Amino acid sequence: MKKYVHGYSTIEANRLNDQADSLADLLHHDSVWQEGSIILEVGCGVGAQTKTIAPKNIKSKFISIDISEDSICQAKKLMESEGIENVEFLQADIFDLPLEDEYFDHIFLCFVLEHLPNPNTALEKLMKKLKRNGTITLIEGDHGSTYFHPDSLEAKKAINCQVELQKLNGGDANIGRKLYPILEKVGFQEINVTPRQVYVDDSNPDWVEGFTKNTFTQMIKGISEEAISKGLIDRRTMAKGISDLYKTAEGEGTFCYTFFKGIGVKK
Ligand SMILES: C[S@@+](CC[C@H](N)C(=O)[O-])C[C@H]1O[C@@H](n2cnc3c(N)ncnc32)[C@H](O)[C@@H]1O
């Protein structure tokens, strides 16, 4: 990873937590593994997903790793404040894991592959850590799946800046649609990928705030200065794009986005 496109600021930590809270049911109603499992969570960040999946699997043990020491510290504090005790944290790099081979029953990654220049290599490394018949679960977004009302060319251009910046950093903001071929290429079997669509209108105020405004639009705001400074967009178009994204969260506005959850088995 050249540079983590979203950065590690407090605003970004809050955004990840808002994202996780508003999406918890959609993404995690089935994030349940058999009791007594040892589960590796890779790229846990500030623990935004950990705080949902660990309590759902209270009789299993999690080892949650991230390359960022600072994020690990924040994740530890979050688990303490939530009274979650079945997680051990470790600062580590996916590509150099200080963990035994064939040790884990399950592996879980959320919003990590999109940032890596070599997602297949990462999965090959992780596959080694899985026991036979163990599973890997991947959750990723896909910015190409975004559409909204009122439609706006400027908003689409602003979103595309995120896609381009992620590409410049070696990642892929449209990776969700590729989970099946990636899992297949790496050699996982019994692959199952399900789209998880977020559709937001005024009848769901929690998602208007938690997803359209505080997760998605906040993400585009977060990369706006970098996109302008790299010449990907001019300031006026970016400002109009962001303002138009906020309009999709008002009155008659609507917003759609699709995440993808893929599961594969190591045979
Ligand atoms: C978008 S965040 C997702 C965090 C968390 N999974 C969530 O959904 O809120 C991506 C995380 O992957 C971590 N990461 C990126 N490359 C990594 C690597 N090579 N090894 C371990 N963690 C990595 C980053 O530090 C960051 O915390």
Side-chain angles (χ1 to χ4, degrees), residues 178-228:
K178 299 174 193 156
L179 292 188
Y180 186 92
I182 290 174
L183 283 164
E184 195 177 42
K185 185 101 202 274
V186 173
F188 284 98
Q189 296 188 29
E190 297 175 25
I191 301 164
N192 179 258
V193 177
T194 51
R196 309 278 166 122
Q197 192 184 38
V198 180
Y199 163 71
V200 190
D201 64 26
D202 226 16
S203 68
N204 193 339
D206 286 350
W207 276 21
V208 168
E209 285 300 314
F211 189 75
T212 310
K213 288 188 185 170
N214 297 342
T215 297
F216 195 87
T217 307
Q218 182 56 46
M219 173 181 71
I220 302 303
K221 267 175 92 172
I223 56 93
S224 58
E225 285 305 320
E226 193 181 352
I228 294 163

Side-chain angles (χ1 to χ4, degrees), residues 4-6 12 15-16 19 23 111-115 139-148 151-152 155-167 169 171-179 196-198 211-212 215-223 238 245 255-260:
Y4 171 44
V5 71
H6 302 311
E12 175 57 13
R15 191 187 72 79
L16 286 170
Q19 169 171 255
L23 299 174
F111 310 141
V112 178
L113 289 189
E114 61 173 307
H115 298 291
I139 299 177
E140 294 291 342
D142 191 316
H143 291 3
S145 72
T146 315
Y147 52 93
F148 37 78
D151 206 357
S152 156
K156 285 181 192 156
K157 284 184 176 167
I159 294 166
N160 199 46
C161 287
Q162 161 74 34
V163 175
E164 289 304 315
L165 277 180
Q166 204 139 325
K167 234 185 248 171
N169 285 322
D172 181 354
N174 294 342
I175 200 168
R177 70 189 75 176
K178 299 174 193 156
L179 292 188
R196 309 278 166 122
Q197 192 184 38
V198 180
F211 189 75
T212 310
T215 297
F216 195 87
T217 307
Q218 182 56 46
M219 173 181 71
I220 302 303
K221 267 175 92 172
I223 56 93
M238 180 53 101
L245 282 174
F255 190 90
C256 277
Y257 186 90
T258 306
F259 294 92
F260 293 83

